[in-house]
C-alpha cells in the first residue's frame, strides 16, 4: 500500500518543481509550457528533470568530483587530477583499474614508487604515474565518500612507440631496367602505425600498410612493400622507409637502404688544348663513365688501319702535331656491361699567328721604351733652340755697350789684332 500512495506525492512534487511550470496531460505525459506546441516529454524525463532541479540535487552536484581523460606515451609520466567543489568534510581517493587504492587524501595506499602525490587539498587530489607501461592503461576512479559515495572516471590511454623500421629484400646489385622489391616492418606501435616510402626527395607508392597484433595482445606490427624499375640514375640512391605515429610527435623514425645499379658505359672525348695548332702537343682524353667503370679503351682513326692504340689509359697523345693528323677519331670504352664509342673530329690549324703572352709582354715593354726615347729627343730639340737663342742675345748686348756699336740690325766686331790697322773684319748677324 505504501508504494502506490507515494506515486501521487512524487508526481505532485515533480509538477511543483518542474522548471517553467509543467502540466500533466491526460495520457500520462508531461508537457512543458516553454516547449513548442505539440511537443511532449515522457514521464521519466520529467521526473529526471525534477530530481536535478531539486535543492538536494543541486547540493549533490557540488559534491560530484570531476576528472579528465589522459593520453600518455609509454615510458612517460601522466598526472591524474580530481577536483570537487563541496567536499562535505570527506577526502578524495584515487583507485587504479584493478580497484586498488592508490592514494586516500595525502596517504599512500599502494607501494609503487612510480606513483607520487602531486597535490592534496580538501578540493583536489592529484597524483602522477611515471615510467608508464602499457599495463597501466585503463579507467582510474576518483571517489569521495559522502552519502551516497560519488565517483568520477579518468580513462588513461597509453601509446606504444613503434620500433625503428627494418628493410629487407635487397640482396645484391641490380641491372638497369630490373625491378627492385623491398619490404619494411616495424613492431610495438599502439595504435597501429603507418609506413611510407621515398627515394631521395621523391615519394614512392608502396602497398597498403598491413597490420598484425603482437603476442602481448596490446601492440601491433605493421609492414609494407614497394616495387619499382631501376634506372642508371638510381645508382647510389637511398630508399627510405619511415614510420608515422602520434607517439613520435613529429620526430623522424626511418631506415634507409642504398642500392647499386649496373649499367653500360658512356664516353666523351675532350681535347687539350681545346684549339690545337700545328707543332703543338695534343692530348685527347676519353672520359668514360659507367658501373662498373670502363677498364679498356680502344682508339681508331677513320680511314686508318689498324687501330691506333688499345690500353687501359684513356688518353691519346700527339707529341708534335702536323696537318696529316687531321681527321675523325673514335674511342671505344668497354666494361663487362658493354661498350660505347665516342667520336671527335680533329682539325690541325696553322702555326699560331697569335703572339704568345711572353711576346706580347716584350712588345709592350718595347713600346714604352720607344715612347720614352721620343720624349727625350723632343726635350733635346727644345733645349738646343733655347741655348742658341740665349747665346745670340748675349752677344748683341755686348756689342751695344761699346762706342763703335753698330746699329740694331748689324754688329761688326774687329778681330784680334784689328787695332793695327788691318782690314780683316768679321761680321755677326743677329
Amino acid at each position: 500500500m505504501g508504494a502506490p500512495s507515494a506515486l501521487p506525492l512524487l508526481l505532485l512534487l515533480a509538477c511543483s518543481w518542474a522548471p517553467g511550470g509543467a502540466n500533466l496531460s491526460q495520457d500520462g505525459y508531461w508537457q512543458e509550457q516553454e516547449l513548442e506546441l505539440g511537443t511532449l516529454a515522457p514521464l521519466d524525463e520529467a521526473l529526471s528533470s525534477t530530481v536535478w532541479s531539486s535543492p538536494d540535487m543541486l547540493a549533490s552536484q557540488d559534491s560530484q568530483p570531476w576528472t579528465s581523460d589522459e593520453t600518455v606515451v609509454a615510458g612517460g609520466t601522466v598526472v591524474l587530477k580530481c577536483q570537487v567543489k563541496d567536499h562535505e568534510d570527506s577526502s578524495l581517493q584515487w583507485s587504479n583499474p584493478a580497484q586498488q587504492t592508490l592514494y586516500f587524501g595525502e596517504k599512500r595506499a599502494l607501494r609503487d614508487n612510480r606513483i607520487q602525490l602531486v597535490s592534496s587539498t580538501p578540493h583536489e587530489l592529484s597524483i602522477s604515474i611515471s615510467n608508464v607501461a602499457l599495463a597501466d592503461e585503463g579507467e582510474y576512479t576518483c571517489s569521495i565518500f559522502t552519502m551516497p559515495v560519488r565517483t568520477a572516471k579518468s580513462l588513461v590511454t597509453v601509446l606504444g612507440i613503434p620500433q625503428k623500421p627494418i628493410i629487407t629484400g635487397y640482396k645484391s646489385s641490380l641491372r638497369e631496367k630490373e625491378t627492385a622489391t623491398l619490404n619494411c616492418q616495424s613492431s610495438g606501435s599502439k595504435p597501429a602505425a603507418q609506413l611510407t616510402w621515398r627515394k631521395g626527395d621523391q615519394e614512392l607508392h608502396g602497398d597498403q600498410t598491413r597490420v598484425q597484433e603482437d603476442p602481448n595482445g596490446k601492440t601491433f606490427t605493421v609492414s609494407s612493400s614497394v616495387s619499382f624499375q631501376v634506372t642508371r640514375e638510381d645508382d647510389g640512391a637511398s630508399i627510405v622507409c619511415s614510420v608515422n605515429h602520434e607517439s613520435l610527435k613529429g620526430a623522424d623514425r626511418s631506415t634507409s637502404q642504398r642500392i647499386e645499379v649496373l649499367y653500360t658505359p658512356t664516353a666523351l672525348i675532350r681535347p687539350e688544348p681545346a684549339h690545337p695548332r700545328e707543332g703543338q702537343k695534343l692530348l685527347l682524353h676519353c672520359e668514360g663513365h659507367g658501373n662498373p667503370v670502363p677498364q679498356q679503351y680502344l682508339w681508331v682513326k677513320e680511314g686508318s688501319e689498324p687501330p691506333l692504340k688499345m690500353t687501359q689509359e684513356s688518353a691519346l697523345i700527339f707529341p708534335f702535331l702536323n696537318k696529316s693528323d687531321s681527321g675523325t677519331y673514335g674511342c671505344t670504352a668497354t666494361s663487362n656491361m658493354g661498350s660505347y664509342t665516342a667520336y671527335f673530329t680533329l682539325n690541325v690549324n696553322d702555326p699560331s699567328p697569335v703572339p704568345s703572352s711572353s711576346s706580347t709582354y716584350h712588345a709592350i715593354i718595347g713600346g714604352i721604351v720607344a715612347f720614352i726615347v721620343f720624349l727625350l729627343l723632343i726635350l733635346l730639340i727644345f733645349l738646343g733652340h733655347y741655348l742658341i737663342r740665349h747665346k745670340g742675345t748675349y752677344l748683341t748686348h755686348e756689342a751695344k755697350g761699346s762706342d763703335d756699336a753698330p746699329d740694331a740690325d748689324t754688329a761688326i766686331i774687329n778681330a784680334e789684332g784689328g787695332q793695327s790697322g788691318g782690314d780683316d773684319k768679321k761680321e755677326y748677324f743677329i
Side-chain angles (χ1 to χ4, degrees):
M1 295 295 292
S5 62
L7 181 58
L9 179 59
L10 183 58
L11 294 175
L12 179 61
L13 291 174
C15 180
S16 62
W17 290 337
N23 297 324
L24 183 63
S25 64
Q26 294 180 353
D27 54 2
Y29 282 82
W30 290 97
Q31 183 175 6
E32 286 287 336
Q33 294 179 355
E34 295 181 355
L35 296 177
E36 184 178 353
L37 184 62
T39 303
L40 300 179
L43 178 60
D44 56 348
E45 292 184 8
L47 291 175
S48 176
S49 64
T50 300
V51 173
W52 277 103
S53 60
S54 66
D56 292 340
M57 200 61 193
L58 291 175
S60 67
Q61 286 180 343
D62 292 340
S63 301
Q64 175 65 37
W66 70 88
T67 62
S68 61
D69 295 338
E70 302 294 339
T71 300
V72 61
V73 177
T77 300
V78 63
V79 175
L80 302 178
K81 179 185 291 186
C82 180
Q83 295 175 297
V84 65
K85 187 174 182 181
D86 184 5
H87 56 85
E88 297 185 11
D89 296 327
S90 179
S91 297
L92 295 168
Q93 172 186 291
W94 271 110
S95 302
N96 64 14
Q99 296 304 310
Q100 296 173 313
T101 301
L102 303 179
Y103 267 89
F104 182 77
E106 59 183 13
K107 296 180 181 178
R108 180 195 296 269
L110 187 65
R111 293 184 178 179
D112 188 341
N113 291 331
R114 298 180 308 135
I115 305 173
Q116 298 292 330
L117 180 66
V118 176
S119 175
S120 177
T121 68
H123 299 280
E124 178 186 328
L125 177 61
S126 296
I127 62 173
S128 66
I129 305 176
S130 60
N131 196 22
V132 175
L134 293 173
D136 294 323
E137 186 175 76
E139 273 192 343
Y140 289 74
T141 305
C142 174
S143 307
I144 184 169
F145 294 92
T146 57
M147 292 298 293
V149 176
R150 296 176 177 86
T151 61
K153 302 290 186 178
S154 175
L155 177 61
V156 175
T157 302
V158 180
L159 301 178
I161 304 176
Q163 295 181 2
K164 186 180 179 69
I166 299 173
I167 297 178
T168 58
Y170 179 78
K171 297 180 180 179
S172 61
S173 303
L174 299 165
R175 288 178 176 267
E176 189 176 15
K177 297 183 180 181
E178 283 187 345
T179 299
T181 300
L182 301 178
N183 305 304
C184 181
Q185 179 176 292
S186 172
S187 59
S189 59
K190 178 182 173 296
Q194 291 292 320
L195 298 175
T196 58
W197 292 92
R198 71 176 187 273
K199 179 177 64 177
D201 295 332
Q202 175 188 357
E203 181 181 358
L204 294 177
H205 298 287
D207 298 339
Q208 186 175 1
T209 302
R210 300 179 294 274
V211 180
Q212 181 180 359
E213 189 176 67
D214 291 335
N216 59 23
K218 294 182 178 295
T219 58
F220 300 90
T221 294
V222 293
S223 58
S224 177
S225 301
V226 66
S227 297
F228 59 96
Q229 189 180 65
V230 299
T231 65
R232 63 181 58 202
E233 287 76 17
D234 294 329
D235 183 37
S238 293
I239 310 302
V240 181
C241 176
S242 300
V243 58
N244 302 317
H245 195 262
E246 55 186 308
S247 65
L248 299 176
K249 298 180 180 179
D252 179 66
R253 178 156 294 186
S254 59
T255 299
S256 63
Q257 174 66 61
R258 185 182 180 275
I259 64 174
E260 182 181 18
V261 180
L262 304 177
Y263 57 93
T264 56
T266 60
L268 175 68
I269 299 178
R270 180 177 57 85
E272 184 184 348
H275 304 287
R277 293 185 176 276
E278 189 175 9
Q280 289 183 330
K281 179 181 179 180
L282 172 67
L283 277 76
L284 293 181
H285 295 278
C286 186
E287 299 177 348
H289 302 279
N291 187 18
V293 176
Q295 298 296 320
Q296 190 177 67
Y297 297 90
L298 174 65
W299 286 95
V300 296
K301 180 181 180 182
E302 289 187 354
S304 175
E305 295 289 344
L308 299 177
K309 184 179 181 183
M310 179 180 291
T311 178
Q312 293 183 351
E313 301 296 331
S314 62
L316 182 64
I317 303 175
F318 297 84
F320 193 84
L321 275 178
N322 55 57
K323 291 286 187 178
S324 62
D325 293 325
S326 297
T328 300
Y329 292 81
C331 170
T332 301
T334 303
S335 71
N336 55 13
M337 288 297 295
S339 300
Y340 182 89
T341 303
Y343 294 94
F344 176 78
T345 299
L346 173 63
N347 293 314
V348 180
N349 300 317
D350 294 330
S352 176
V354 180
S356 63
S357 59
S358 60
S359 61
T360 302
Y361 173 78
H362 291 302
I364 294 174
I365 296 299
I368 295 174
V369 172
F371 180 73
I372 294 175
V373 172
F374 175 75
L375 290 179
L376 291 175
L377 290 175
I378 296 296
L379 181 60
L380 289 175
I381 291 172
F382 276 100
L383 183 61
H385 278 283
Y386 176 80
L387 293 175
I388 293 173
R389 183 176 180 180
H390 280 266
K391 184 176 180 181
T393 303
Y394 173 76
L395 293 175
T396 302
H397 288 177
E398 287 290 332
K400 287 182 179 182
S402 64
D403 293 337
D404 298 329
D407 56 21
D409 295 326
T410 304
I412 300 175
I413 303 175
N414 293 329
E416 292 182 2
Q419 298 294 334
S420 61
D423 296 332
D424 294 332
K425 297 181 180 180
K426 292 183 181 180
E427 291 186 349
Y428 292 88
F429 296 92
I430 306 301

